[in-house]
Amino acid sequence: GTGKTVLAIKNAKESVSEGKKTAVFCYNLLLAKELNKHFENADIKPEYVGSFTDYLEGLVKKHTDFDFKSITDPGKFYKEDLPMLALEALEKEPVKFDKIIVDEAQDLMLPDYLDLYDSVIKGGLKKGKWYFFGDFNLQTIYNRGISFESVTELLEDRANFALFNLTINCRNTPPIQKEMNKIVGVEIKKKKKNDALPSVK
């Protein structure tokens, strides 16, 4: 609720308006659909907006003869096999974005995925332009043993980057909680939140 997706969308629109070949990746298919609604105007639509795994599957289908019906272990496939197949596909037809933006980064920070990001950005992770938006504490839905510290260590080995923390929860403010309490008739107690935030309109 700190505005990560809002910032990702704004960043992408600015990038496209500057003429940069941009990709916006996420993990969740529902979020992918929602993100696309923000880019209905062709003038501000990035080269790609959607699920990173969908993007990789598209590369594999286009450049390999892999039979997706042969998948018996989806967990292993998405963690190990798909990245390897996608790297093979990229060798046949390299893709280079001027910038990539990853929302829900906490679900897309496997080491093999970092190799793929490195492959599709001009200049790679060390010299290229990339923004990862994620919550590694409260939104790690798919527990892969990934923590903020482990991700930072992974990136330090292969990238130059700066960290920025968003600390104000704009979605679940006390005024919003009070309004929801009235609507649903349930008392939800606040926990260390700022009462000075704007009221619900």
Side-chain angles (χ1 to χ4, degrees):
T2 57
K4 296 182 297 299
T5 300
V6 172
L7 289 175
I9 291 165
K10 186 175 189 312
N11 191 323
K13 288 180 178 179
E14 288 176 354
S15 179
V16 174
S17 70
E18 292 166 2
K20 292 185 173 74
K21 183 179 177 181
T22 306
V24 180
F25 297 124
C26 65
Y27 180 81
N28 186 288
L29 293 173
L30 288 175
L31 176 58
K33 189 180 287 188
E34 192 61 34
L35 283 170
N36 271 283
K37 292 178 185 176
H38 292 273
F39 300 106
E40 289 177 347
N41 180 342
D43 293 337
I44 53 163
K45 188 171 179 67
E47 183 91 6
Y48 182 86
V49 180
S51 159
F52 188 54
T53 52
D54 266 9
Y55 178 75
L56 299 181
E57 286 180 24
L59 291 175
V60 171
K61 286 173 183 173
K62 184 176 180 183
H63 298 292
T64 77
D65 56 3
F66 177 77
D67 180 9
F68 280 81
K69 292 177 183 174
S70 69
I71 300 168
T72 56
D73 183 347
K76 178 182 177 295
F77 173 75
Y78 285 102
K79 186 176 181 180
E80 300 173 19
D81 301 335
L82 180 59
M84 181 186 66
L85 289 163
L87 283 170
E88 285 178 24
L90 286 166
E91 285 177 11
K92 294 178 181 175
E93 186 182 333
V95 175
K96 294 293 180 184
F97 293 103
D98 296 313
K99 182 196 283 187
I100 69 164
I101 298 162
V102 181
D103 199 11
E104 296 184 319
Q106 71 277 358
D107 296 321
L108 289 167
M109 297 301 283
L110 298 169
D112 288 344
Y113 284 16
L114 289 175
D115 291 339
L116 285 159
Y117 299 140
D118 193 55
S119 296
V120 300
I121 306 168
K122 285 181 184 173
L125 289 170
K126 281 194 187 277
K127 296 181 180 178
K129 297 185 183 301
W130 52 271
Y131 290 79
F132 294 165
F133 296 87
D135 182 345
F136 296 88
N137 296 316
L138 301 176
Q139 288 184 283
T140 47
I141 300 170
Y142 304 95
N143 186 3
R144 298 185 174 116
I146 292 175
S147 66
F148 180 73
E149 291 74 22
S150 64
V151 167
T152 304
E153 284 178 21
L154 280 172
L155 285 171
E156 281 172 348
D157 288 338
R158 40 183 115 195
N160 298 313
F161 63 96
L163 295 172
F164 298 92
N165 292 320
L166 302 175
T167 58
I168 297 175
N169 186 322
C170 304
R171 183 188 299 139
N172 305 309
T173 63
I176 289 173
Q177 284 185 338
K178 287 175 188 171
E179 195 67 25
M180 289 305 297
N181 289 346
K182 290 180 199 171
I183 294 168
V184 299
V186 175
E187 183 63 29
I188 302 171
K189 294 181 180 178
K190 69 180 180 182
K191 182 179 178 183
K192 295 182 181 177
K193 295 221 176 145
N194 185 352
D195 279 304
L197 290 165
S199 60
V200 179
K201 294 183 178 179

